[in-house]
Amino acid sequence: CLFLPGPSHTQVYWKQRKEGAMPKQEVGSTKWLGNKMKAKGLQKLRWYCQMCQKQCRDENGFKCHRMSDGHQRQMQLFVQDPNRFMDDFSQEFEAGFMQLMGHTYRSTRTLANTCYTDFISNRHHTHMNSTIWVTLSNFVQYLGRTHQCKIDKTPKGWYLQYIDNTPEAQMRQKAQQELEQKELKQEVSHESFLAQQVADAGEFQESEFTELQRKEGDAPIKISMSAAAAAAKVAAASAAAMAASKLLGEDVLEQAFGAHSASSGSREKKEGKESGKERKMTVMESVRLEHEEAKRRKIEVEQGPSSSEEGGEPWLAAGLVVKVMHQELAGGKYHRKKGIVEKVRGQFTADVRMTETKDLIRLEQEMLETVIPNVGKRVRIVKGFRKGDYATMRAVDIASFSINVECEDGTLLEGLGYDQVCKVDG
């Protein structure tokens, strides 16, 4: 017997595809994933079927789709009533376009082509070739005729501006118009009231200004200033005090200084009240002032009578990190700013290089303050029996305003004041 070979797999595949019996790919298969990746994004408009809502990738696929049974059935439905389908597609296109205008371009004047490009970026949008409008210009003019958008033709193209015709917007516009009318009525009534007041008062007579006329024998004109009057009162009071002191045998200078201190005290008290009215001290400033006052009192108690009026014990040294406390230098530019001592001149003067601005300034010791670093940083002892030794920060006691340091030889010093150690650069 003769062996007749059957059709190959390729022949069976093309036969099934030609007869339309080709099965669809299973969801999740390799072929299905490949088709989904190819169909991702926008495709050409001429290969899109609006009736079937199917996008083809090439001309051959679009031709096969037009020959399929499903497309033929959809076209038969379209032929029966084409106007109904065209109107439905036109309404869908208009509703989608106006929704985009209301959400994205609600209060801006935008180029129509920009809006259309944004609208067709969605691959499931209704295409314009299935509507009653042939071009975008026809659709823009339709929006202008129906008062949905303000249109304007320029050399760059048509421009659109959304018109809010929602009931909420109409209510807001009506309320605004009523408010404007109410304000206009109030203004008119106020003007009429003023006019009636002027009419009731009668004619208005302006003041007449005449020159000063003096007669012979008139006394000279005296002008008394507040400062001159105050000086006269002080002079009279001092003269009365001197006369009384001569009678009672008391010290004239003591009384004069007492009167001066009383007057200056009252004046300072008055100025303090006025400044207090202008500005109140914040909580942070009051806490800082209390902290500095307690620190100053502790230093005075520790130093006692040993501190002199000329600046106390000298503690400046090159390489120390200090804080400038001068409030009036350069308009307060360097107040509470840190710097590094570069050179000590004498015992109480130093050249300080500012950390932020890199400016070099010369200041007295009383205008500078020591800087306390973080725990573990290197410091130098500037006062006491270990003056000049270097140590390491170990602890800070905020309640007693003291610190604990460990010297290089291992000695632990406790209860040192803030002004006895200072941070070292580096």
Side-chain angles (χ1 to χ4, degrees):
C1 66
L2 298 176
F3 176 75
L4 298 176
S8 62
H9 292 286
T10 306
Q11 292 175 350
V12 172
Y13 171 81
W14 285 107
K15 182 177 180 182
Q16 291 178 352
R17 184 170 180 176
K18 184 177 181 180
E19 293 177 355
M22 186 67 185
K24 292 185 178 180
Q25 298 83 13
E26 296 181 1
V27 177
S29 63
T30 306
K31 190 69 175 178
W32 181 82
L33 289 175
N35 292 337
K36 288 295 182 182
M37 293 176 64
K38 292 178 182 177
K40 185 178 181 181
L42 297 177
Q43 305 291 332
K44 290 189 176 181
L45 182 61
R46 59 181 177 179
W47 295 332
Y48 182 81
C49 178
Q50 185 66 51
M51 287 295 299
C52 304
Q53 296 183 357
K54 180 176 178 58
Q55 176 69 56
C56 300
R57 291 193 295 271
D58 52 14
E59 187 175 359
N60 187 28
F62 188 65
K63 180 179 179 182
C64 295
H65 170 71
R66 286 188 290 122
M67 296 174 63
S68 63
D69 296 338
H71 178 75
Q72 295 295 334
R73 288 193 297 269
Q74 292 292 333
M75 293 307 297
Q76 289 178 2
L77 295 175
F78 180 78
V79 170
Q80 292 177 4
D81 193 359
N83 294 329
R84 182 175 65 85
F85 285 98
M86 293 284 287
D87 293 341
D88 292 343
F89 291 146
S90 300
Q91 293 177 3
E92 292 178 4
F93 180 83
E94 181 182 356
F97 192 88
M98 293 307 299
Q99 184 179 7
L100 175 67
M101 288 290 297
H103 290 172
T104 309
Y105 308 100
R106 190 179 188 86
S107 59
T108 57
R109 179 175 174 268
T110 316
L111 193 64
N113 195 18
T114 303
C115 302
Y116 180 72
T117 305
D118 192 6
F119 176 71
I120 65 175
S121 60
N122 181 15
R123 58 181 304 219
H124 299 293
H125 73 280
T126 304
H127 291 68
M128 183 178 284
N129 60 355
S130 61
T131 63
I132 59 176
W133 302 289
V134 181
T135 61
L136 181 61
S137 300
N138 295 339
F139 178 66
V140 171
Q141 294 175 9
Y142 165 78
L143 295 179
R145 290 194 303 269
T146 54
H147 302 287
Q148 300 185 58
C149 291
K150 295 180 181 179
I151 62 175
D152 183 19
K153 187 175 183 181
T154 63
K156 293 184 179 181
W158 288 95
Y159 275 86
L160 296 175
Q161 187 173 1
Y162 181 75
I163 299 176
D164 194 357
N165 293 324
T166 58
E168 294 82 3
Q170 294 178 0
M171 291 177 62
R172 289 195 300 268
Q173 186 177 3
K174 183 178 180 181
Q176 183 66 22
Q177 292 178 357
E178 292 178 355
L179 180 61
E180 292 178 357
Q181 292 178 0
K182 184 178 179 180
E183 292 178 354
L184 183 60
K185 290 181 180 178
Q186 291 179 355
E187 186 177 355
V188 171
S189 62
H190 182 66
E191 290 180 356
S192 61
F193 175 75
L194 292 179
Q196 184 65 28
Q197 292 290 330
V198 172
D200 294 342
E203 297 182 358
F204 177 74
Q205 184 176 3
E206 297 182 357
S207 302
E208 297 182 359
F209 300 96
T210 59
E211 296 182 357
L212 178 62
Q213 298 179 0
R214 292 175 53 82
K215 298 180 180 180
E216 296 182 0
D218 291 344
I221 299 175
K222 296 181 179 181
I223 300 176
S224 176
M225 305 297 290
S226 60
K233 290 181 180 179
V234 172
S238 61
M242 290 177 66
S245 63
K246 289 180 181 180
L247 295 175
L248 300 175
E250 297 179 352
D251 190 1
V252 180
L253 294 177
E254 184 177 357
Q255 292 183 359
F257 280 116
H260 178 70
S261 61
S263 61
S264 61
S266 61
R267 184 168 60 254
E268 290 177 357
K269 186 176 181 181
K270 183 178 179 181
E271 292 177 355
K273 290 182 178 179
E274 293 178 354
S275 61
K277 292 180 180 179
E278 294 176 357
R279 179 181 178 272
K280 293 184 178 180
M281 187 179 298
T282 62
V283 178
M284 292 297 295
E285 291 178 350
S286 60
V287 172
R288 181 175 59 81
L289 290 177
E290 292 177 0
H291 180 75
E292 292 180 355
E293 183 65 22
K295 176 182 174 182
R296 186 183 62 80
R297 289 197 300 267
K298 186 176 183 301
I299 293 174
E300 290 178 356
V301 171
E302 290 181 354
Q303 291 181 354
S306 61
S307 59
S308 62
E309 297 178 357
E310 292 139 2
E313 182 182 355
W315 55 268
L316 293 174
L320 296 180
V321 179
V322 296
K323 185 182 294 184
V324 179
M325 304 304 295
H326 200 299
Q327 299 182 0
E328 299 178 359
L329 182 61
K333 176 181 178 182
Y334 306 109
H335 182 55
R336 305 192 68 83
K337 302 295 183 181
K338 295 181 181 179
I340 303 172
V341 178
E342 289 192 355
K343 185 177 180 180
V344 179
R345 300 180 180 274
Q347 292 183 341
F348 300 93
T349 307
D351 295 340
V352 182
R353 178 74 65 180
M354 301 306 297
T355 305
E356 296 181 359
T357 61
K358 304 300 181 183
D359 296 337
L360 182 64
I361 57 177
R362 182 174 299 176
L363 294 171
E364 297 292 334
Q365 175 179 289
E366 61 182 1
M367 302 176 185
L368 301 174
E369 187 179 73
T370 58
V371 176
I372 305 302
N374 295 330
V375 176
K377 298 296 183 177
R378 195 161 176 261
V379 297
R380 177 173 177 169
I381 302 175
V382 296
K383 290 183 181 181
F385 68 98
R386 299 297 295 267
K387 179 178 179 180
D389 294 350
Y390 291 94
T392 305
M393 283 284 298
R394 291 307 179 196
V396 179
D397 189 1
I398 300 178
S400 61
F401 305 101
S402 62
I403 59 177
N404 302 336
V405 298
E406 183 180 0
C407 298
E408 294 179 346
D409 57 356
T411 305
L412 183 62
L413 301 178
E414 298 180 354
L416 296 179
Y418 285 173
D419 62 331
Q420 292 182 336
V421 297
C422 186
K423 181 180 179 182
V424 180
D425 183 28

